[in-house]
Amino acid sequence: MLTDARGCLTSTPSSVSLQQYEQALELSLSYELDPLATIQKALDCDPTFAMGHCLRAGLAIMATDRGALPMLAQSTGAIEALGRRATDRERAHCAAARTWLQGDFAGAIQRYGDILLDHPHDLLALQIAHVGDFFLGASSMLRDRIAQ
């Protein structure tokens, strides 16, 4: 298992996949190019990279497009199939994504926010929660979640 650039544990032993994850996350945060294509390269290299699937699921959620539901379902299913081989944080991401997939958008955003309580340096959880707060009109959380 390797840690990401912010010190969060991931389930991948592949430094190549982790490097591609970091690049895809950076692309997502900067709204540049195609983070989905980059994270797909990481998953092609290591199909059991749970955090890679978490990012892929997060991109589907932030797209807020029903056309992304199959990709979201595929990623959550892949993480769930890993069971305990995924870290607690990765399983929490999966649970949040599954909540969204079940139609509870506010509940999913709450779950992503909860991840930040245990893993305050989880940049993916912060981005998804922040985007969700924007869509929900939770203006105070746009400030307060980052302040936490």
Side-chain angles (χ1 to χ4, degrees):
M1 293 187 170
L2 299 173
T3 57
D4 68 15
R6 288 145 307 281
C8 297
L9 188 64
T10 70
S11 61
T12 189
S14 169
S15 59
V16 171
S17 288
L18 185 58
Q19 182 180 31
Q20 290 167 329
Y21 166 83
E22 294 290 353
Q23 182 182 9
L25 183 59
E26 180 64 33
L27 290 171
S28 176
L29 292 167
S30 62
Y31 296 96
E32 292 182 22
L33 301 174
D34 186 3
L36 185 56
T38 303
I39 198 58
Q40 190 57 53
K41 289 178 189 175
L43 292 170
D44 289 345
C45 181
D46 179 4
T48 64
F49 180 21
M51 203 61 208
H53 285 289
C54 293
L55 176 52
R56 192 168 175 254
L59 292 171
I61 289 169
M62 290 184 291
T64 64
D65 182 353
R66 294 190 61 77
L69 289 177
M71 182 174 74
L72 179 56
Q74 182 184 36
S75 286
T76 55
I79 300 165
E80 290 165 348
L82 292 172
R84 288 280 184 207
R85 288 180 290 163
T87 67
D88 289 343
R89 178 175 70 105
E90 291 166 334
R91 288 193 307 273
H93 270 270
C94 183
R98 177 65 67 189
T99 301
W100 194 93
L101 189 59
Q102 293 169 342
D104 183 1
F105 187 69
I109 299 310
Q110 177 63 48
R111 284 179 175 256
Y112 279 110
D114 291 345
I115 292 169
L116 290 167
L117 298 176
D118 292 327
H119 306 280
H121 296 155
D122 187 326
L123 199 49
L124 178 59
L126 179 61
Q127 183 185 22
I128 298 168
H130 192 73
V131 168
D133 290 336
F134 175 80
F135 283 125
L136 290 171
S139 58
S140 63
M141 287 307 293
L142 291 171
R143 176 199 64 220
D144 295 347
R145 194 175 307 281
I146 293 171
Q148 287 176 337

